């Protein structure tokens, strides 16, 4: 017999008003809200964020919204994987409480043009290769934070630069939310989990391993080599891999993503490359 006492039903909201009303009631009874914003095509990386949110909060909200304003390439937006049925099943399995799944017109008015100036960090690395990307990210996260008003929001280290940008926005605007960065979930062979991995052909999948392999090599050799030598060797390793086209490999100060020297408090190696037709990113904290 099903145990109805323990069964938790995922509540689905598609409008911001209905979600706000529901959350108001929960907050009135002092429930804490953990929030995991996603673009769907959920995998174990997303699920690890949801599990942590569940451990640390009374109520866990996951949003699935493929945010048009963060795609500088319309074709990339069009082919972004959308798997809402499988996503809903996963969220039920992991016992998330609430799914917010709005349409575009629920989030944006026609032709919305405003942006937040977060400063230099948004124009480096990903910002350089995807102009306007972080404007879109801050727009949507600002809006989602205002709808959900979470106590704590969970983001992956996988998008290291995104975490820095959102932290900056939260500081600048004094938004009352705590941010937590969660470790990168990887496939057993080292490939960082990503919704985009679905697009990799069998050959791409093999070649894609060069990214995590190179990051690991840099981590293992960090103490014995200087930074220019590490960067040079990493660039050579990736460029030698068939079917892989490097956008950048950077060893950066973890606080602002400018080029690091070895005295920096936090140092991160970050990579972006096209593997076949699919653009992947990955990183590792070196110090
Ligand atoms: P996305 O759906 O790609 O926008 O990702 C939603 C959230 O999941 C972001 O905070 C990502 O950084 C995080 N995320 C994506 N992939 C991973 C991963 N492999 N491990 C941990 N977190 C991840």
């Amino acid at each position: 017999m099903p145990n109805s006492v323990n069964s938790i039903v995922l509540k689905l909201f598609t409008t911001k008003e209905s979600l706000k009303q529901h959350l108001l009631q929960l907050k009135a009874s002092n429930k804490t809200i953990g929030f995991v914003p996603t673009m769907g095509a959920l995998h174990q990386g997303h699920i690890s964020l949801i599990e942590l949110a569940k451990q640390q909060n009374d109520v866990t909200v996951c949003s699935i919204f493929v945010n048009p304003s963060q795609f500088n390439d319309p074709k990339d937006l069009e082919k972004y994987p959308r798997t809402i049925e499988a996503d809903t099943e996963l969220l039920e399995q992991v016992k998330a409480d609430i799914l917010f799944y709005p349409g575009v017109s629920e989030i944006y008015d026609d032709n919305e043009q405003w942006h937040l100036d977060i400063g230099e960090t948004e124009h480096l690395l990903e910002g350089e290769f995807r102009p306007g990307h972080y404007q879109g990210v801050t727009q949507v996260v600002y809006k989602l934070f205002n709808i959900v008003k979470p106590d704590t929001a969970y983001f992956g280290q996988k998008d290291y630069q995104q975490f820095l940008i959102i932290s900056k926005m939260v500081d600048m605007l004094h938004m009352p939310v705590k941010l937590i960065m969660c470790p990168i979930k990887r496939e057993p062979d080292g490939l960082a989990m990503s919704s985009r991995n679905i697009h990799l052909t069998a050959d791409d999948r093999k070649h894609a391993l060069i990214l995590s392999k190179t990051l690991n090599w840099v981590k293992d050799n960090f103490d014995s080599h200087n930074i220019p030598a590490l960067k040079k060797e990493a660039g050579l390793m990736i460029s030698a891999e068939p079917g892989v086209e490097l956008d950048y490999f950077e060893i950066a100060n973890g606080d602002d993503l400018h080029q690091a020297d070895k005295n920096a408090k936090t140092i991160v190696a970050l990579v972006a490359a096209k593997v076949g037709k699919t653009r992947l990113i990955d990183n590792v904290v070196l110090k």
Side-chain angles (χ1 to χ4, degrees):
M1 268 213 346
N3 181 348
S4 59
V5 178
N6 288 332
S7 71
I8 302 172
V9 179
L10 177 72
K11 290 196 174 60
L12 168 69
F13 293 88
T14 55
T15 70
K16 49 186 187 262
E17 275 320 312
S18 58
L19 175 63
K20 277 187 193 169
Q21 285 309 320
H22 183 72
L23 290 172
L24 269 179
Q25 284 171 19
L26 293 170
K27 284 171 192 162
S29 51
N30 284 329
K31 303 274 192 231
T32 58
I33 312 289
F35 180 39
V36 180
T38 80
M39 299 207 297
L42 300 182
H43 50 67
Q44 288 305 313
H46 298 114
I47 297 303
S48 68
L49 273 52
I50 289 167
E51 280 171 344
L52 187 63
K54 272 189 68 70
Q55 277 169 33
Q56 297 186 343
N57 298 274
D58 300 317
V59 178
T60 296
V61 181
C62 173
S63 64
I64 295 183
F65 181 64
V66 182
N67 174 34
S69 76
Q70 72 187 65
F71 286 81
N72 51 321
D73 174 359
K75 282 202 210 96
D76 190 24
L77 171 62
E78 197 184 309
K79 75 171 201 189
Y80 198 84
R82 290 161 171 89
T83 59
I84 189 64
E85 275 171 26
D87 291 352
T88 309
E89 250 173 55
L90 264 180
L91 289 172
E92 276 167 356
Q93 274 169 27
V94 75
K95 296 191 168 56
D97 300 291
I98 294 174
L99 167 60
F100 182 43
Y101 180 54
V104 173
S105 61
E106 191 61 23
I107 298 294
Y108 291 112
D109 289 336
D110 281 349
N111 226 350
E112 243 183 82
Q113 294 292 352
W114 64 275
H115 68 267
L116 292 165
D117 190 349
I118 297 294
E120 249 183 327
T121 313
E122 71 172 281
H123 302 296
L124 303 170
L125 304 179
E126 284 303 284
E128 189 185 334
F129 283 87
R130 303 182 69 188
H133 173 63
Y134 288 118
Q135 291 297 339
V137 169
T138 47
Q139 247 183 11
V140 77
V141 175
Y142 176 85
K143 282 169 178 264
L144 291 170
F145 279 2
N146 273 317
I147 296 166
V148 178
K149 297 198 186 328
D151 296 278
T152 311
Y154 298 81
F155 292 89
Q157 181 198 318
K158 167 87 180 353
D159 297 274
Y160 189 94
Q161 188 171 7
Q162 169 172 279
F163 189 86
L164 287 190
I165 303 269
I166 293 168
S167 305
K168 185 84 192 287
M169 174 183 81
V170 162
D171 281 354
M172 275 171 51
L173 303 180
H174 308 289
M175 298 183 95
V177 54
K178 181 176 167 196
L179 303 179
I180 303 231
M181 189 201 277
C182 306
I184 302 176
K185 281 276 169 193
R186 297 180 178 281
E187 302 290 353
D189 60 8
L191 180 70
M193 291 183 182
S194 163
S195 304
R196 294 175 188 275
N197 290 352
I198 240 172
H199 294 311
L200 298 172
T201 64
D203 268 355
D204 294 342
R205 178 71 184 71
K206 282 183 218 144
H207 298 314
L209 285 182
I210 193 65
L211 303 185
S212 55
K213 270 193 196 152
T214 305
L215 289 168
N216 282 334
W217 181 87
V218 168
K219 192 170 170 63
D220 292 344
N221 289 276
F222 184 67
D223 290 336
S224 56
H225 291 58
N226 64 34
I227 288 180
L230 289 167
K231 270 176 65 171
K232 186 168 171 216
E233 186 58 29
L236 289 172
M237 284 168 76
I238 294 170
S239 303
E241 186 72 21
V244 179
E245 192 188 317
L246 184 62
D247 275 355
Y248 61 80
F249 186 98
E250 191 55 85
I251 296 181
N253 184 320
D255 294 329
D256 59 14
L257 296 185
H258 284 293
Q259 288 194 18
D261 64 59
K262 280 215 168 171
N263 299 320
K265 187 168 62 84
T266 314
I267 301 180
V268 191
L270 306 107
V271 64
K274 269 192 228 70
V275 179
K277 293 193 174 123
T278 309
R279 190 170 181 280
L280 300 178
I281 59 172
D282 198 352
N283 67 79
V284 67
V285 175
L286 300 172
K287 178 182 166 191

